[in-house]
PDB file of all heavy atoms in Angstrom:
ATOM      1  N   GLU Q1467      17.119 -14.528   3.168  1.00  0.00           N
ATOM      2  CA  GLU Q1467      17.285 -13.929   4.510  1.00  0.00           C
ATOM      3  C   GLU Q1467      16.084 -13.871   5.265  1.00  0.00           C
ATOM      4  O   GLU Q1467      16.110 -13.470   6.572  1.00  0.00           O
ATOM      5  CB  GLU Q1467      17.737 -12.455   4.296  1.00  0.00           C
ATOM      6  CG  GLU Q1467      19.123 -12.315   3.622  1.00  0.00           C
ATOM      7  CD  GLU Q1467      19.659 -10.958   3.524  1.00  0.00           C
ATOM      8  OE1 GLU Q1467      19.018 -10.018   4.051  1.00  0.00           O
ATOM      9  OE2 GLU Q1467      20.798 -10.619   2.812  1.00  0.00           O
ATOM     10  N   PRO Q1484       5.213 -19.434  15.501  1.00  0.00           N
ATOM     11  CA  PRO Q1484       5.057 -20.277  14.349  1.00  0.00           C
ATOM     12  C   PRO Q1484       3.718 -21.094  14.363  1.00  0.00           C
ATOM     13  O   PRO Q1484       3.388 -21.637  15.411  1.00  0.00           O
ATOM     14  CB  PRO Q1484       6.243 -21.291  14.408  1.00  0.00           C
ATOM     15  CG  PRO Q1484       6.597 -21.208  15.947  1.00  0.00           C
ATOM     16  CD  PRO Q1484       6.288 -19.849  16.464  1.00  0.00           C
ATOM     17  N   PHE Q1493      -1.540 -17.456  -2.834  1.00  0.00           N
ATOM     18  CA  PHE Q1493      -0.927 -17.591  -4.027  1.00  0.00           C
ATOM     19  C   PHE Q1493       0.234 -18.493  -4.198  1.00  0.00           C
ATOM     20  O   PHE Q1493       0.733 -18.775  -5.315  1.00  0.00           O
ATOM     21  CB  PHE Q1493      -0.470 -16.176  -4.639  1.00  0.00           C
ATOM     22  CG  PHE Q1493      -1.659 -15.207  -4.887  1.00  0.00           C
ATOM     23  CD1 PHE Q1493      -1.479 -13.930  -4.695  1.00  0.00           C
ATOM     24  CD2 PHE Q1493      -2.782 -15.694  -5.489  1.00  0.00           C
ATOM     25  CE1 PHE Q1493      -2.554 -13.027  -4.891  1.00  0.00           C
ATOM     26  CE2 PHE Q1493      -3.836 -14.854  -5.802  1.00  0.00           C
ATOM     27  CZ  PHE Q1493      -3.774 -13.484  -5.532  1.00  0.00           C
ATOM     28  N   MET Q1513       7.117  -1.841  21.482  1.00  0.00           N
ATOM     29  CA  MET Q1513       8.052  -1.003  20.710  1.00  0.00           C
ATOM     30  C   MET Q1513       8.272   0.293  21.287  1.00  0.00           C
ATOM     31  O   MET Q1513       9.545   0.843  21.241  1.00  0.00           O
ATOM     32  CB  MET Q1513       7.395  -0.788  19.301  1.00  0.00           C
ATOM     33  CG  MET Q1513       7.433  -1.972  18.363  1.00  0.00           C
ATOM     34  SD  MET Q1513       6.673  -1.580  16.745  1.00  0.00           S
ATOM     35  CE  MET Q1513       7.206  -3.022  15.803  1.00  0.00           C
ATOM     36  N   PRO Q1521      18.157   7.628  24.120  1.00  0.00           N
ATOM     37  CA  PRO Q1521      18.146   9.146  24.224  1.00  0.00           C
ATOM     38  C   PRO Q1521      18.409   9.896  23.003  1.00  0.00           C
ATOM     39  O   PRO Q1521      18.101  11.049  22.898  1.00  0.00           O
ATOM     40  CB  PRO Q1521      18.969   9.491  25.400  1.00  0.00           C
ATOM     41  CG  PRO Q1521      20.038   8.314  25.468  1.00  0.00           C
ATOM     42  CD  PRO Q1521      19.245   7.160  24.994  1.00  0.00           C
ATOM     43  N   VAL Q1542      19.750  16.273   1.604  1.00  0.00           N
ATOM     44  CA  VAL Q1542      20.414  16.994   2.836  1.00  0.00           C
ATOM     45  C   VAL Q1542      19.442  17.370   3.850  1.00  0.00           C
ATOM     46  O   VAL Q1542      19.852  18.007   4.832  1.00  0.00           O
ATOM     47  CB  VAL Q1542      21.247  18.176   2.243  1.00  0.00           C
ATOM     48  CG1 VAL Q1542      22.250  17.689   1.252  1.00  0.00           C
ATOM     49  CG2 VAL Q1542      20.327  19.152   1.650  1.00  0.00           C
ATOM     50  N   GLY Q1775      14.263  -3.509   5.811  1.00  0.00           N
ATOM     51  CA  GLY Q1775      14.379  -2.472   6.853  1.00  0.00           C
ATOM     52  C   GLY Q1775      15.854  -2.495   7.382  1.00  0.00           C
ATOM     53  O   GLY Q1775      16.397  -1.481   7.593  1.00  0.00           O
ATOM     54  N   ASN Q1825     -11.972  18.960   1.298  1.00  0.00           N
ATOM     55  CA  ASN Q1825     -12.488  17.630   1.574  1.00  0.00           C
ATOM     56  C   ASN Q1825     -13.352  17.159   0.497  1.00  0.00           C
ATOM     57  O   ASN Q1825     -13.408  15.927   0.316  1.00  0.00           O
ATOM     58  CB  ASN Q1825     -13.223  17.626   2.977  1.00  0.00           C
ATOM     59  CG  ASN Q1825     -12.337  17.564   4.177  1.00  0.00           C
ATOM     60  OD1 ASN Q1825     -11.408  16.697   4.144  1.00  0.00           O
ATOM     61  ND2 ASN Q1825     -12.502  18.343   5.194  1.00  0.00           N
ATOM     62  N   ASN Q1844     -11.479  -0.187 -17.862  1.00  0.00           N
ATOM     63  CA  ASN Q1844     -11.629   0.069 -19.367  1.00  0.00           C
ATOM     64  C   ASN Q1844     -11.084   1.413 -19.593  1.00  0.00           C
ATOM     65  O   ASN Q1844     -11.158   2.362 -18.876  1.00  0.00           O
ATOM     66  CB  ASN Q1844     -12.994  -0.301 -19.845  1.00  0.00           C
ATOM     67  CG  ASN Q1844     -13.985   0.740 -19.348  1.00  0.00           C
ATOM     68  OD1 ASN Q1844     -14.026   1.905 -19.699  1.00  0.00           O
ATOM     69  ND2 ASN Q1844     -14.911   0.224 -18.511  1.00  0.00           N
ATOM     70  N   GLN Q1872      -3.761  26.437   8.959  1.00  0.00           N
ATOM     71  CA  GLN Q1872      -4.649  25.370   9.618  1.00  0.00           C
ATOM     72  C   GLN Q1872      -5.043  24.469   8.547  1.00  0.00           C
ATOM     73  O   GLN Q1872      -5.544  23.336   8.784  1.00  0.00           O
ATOM     74  CB  GLN Q1872      -5.807  25.913  10.408  1.00  0.00           C
ATOM     75  CG  GLN Q1872      -6.918  26.500   9.410  1.00  0.00           C
ATOM     76  CD  GLN Q1872      -6.771  27.856   9.050  1.00  0.00           C
ATOM     77  OE1 GLN Q1872      -5.552  28.478   9.234  1.00  0.00           O
ATOM     78  NE2 GLN Q1872      -7.714  28.492   8.551  1.00  0.00           N
ATOM     79  N   VAL Q1938       5.913   8.454 -22.558  1.00  0.00           N
ATOM     80  CA  VAL Q1938       4.747   9.187 -22.775  1.00  0.00           C
ATOM     81  C   VAL Q1938       4.757  10.170 -21.711  1.00  0.00           C
ATOM     82  O   VAL Q1938       4.793   9.932 -20.514  1.00  0.00           O
ATOM     83  CB  VAL Q1938       3.478   8.401 -22.694  1.00  0.00           C
ATOM     84  CG1 VAL Q1938       2.286   9.199 -22.865  1.00  0.00           C
ATOM     85  CG2 VAL Q1938       3.486   7.289 -23.827  1.00  0.00           C
TER      86      VAL Q1938
END
Side-chain angles (χ1 to χ4, degrees):
E1467 296 184 10
F1493 293 141
M1513 284 185 171
V1542 298
N1825 276 313
N1844 63 69
Q1872 73 275 17
V1938 178

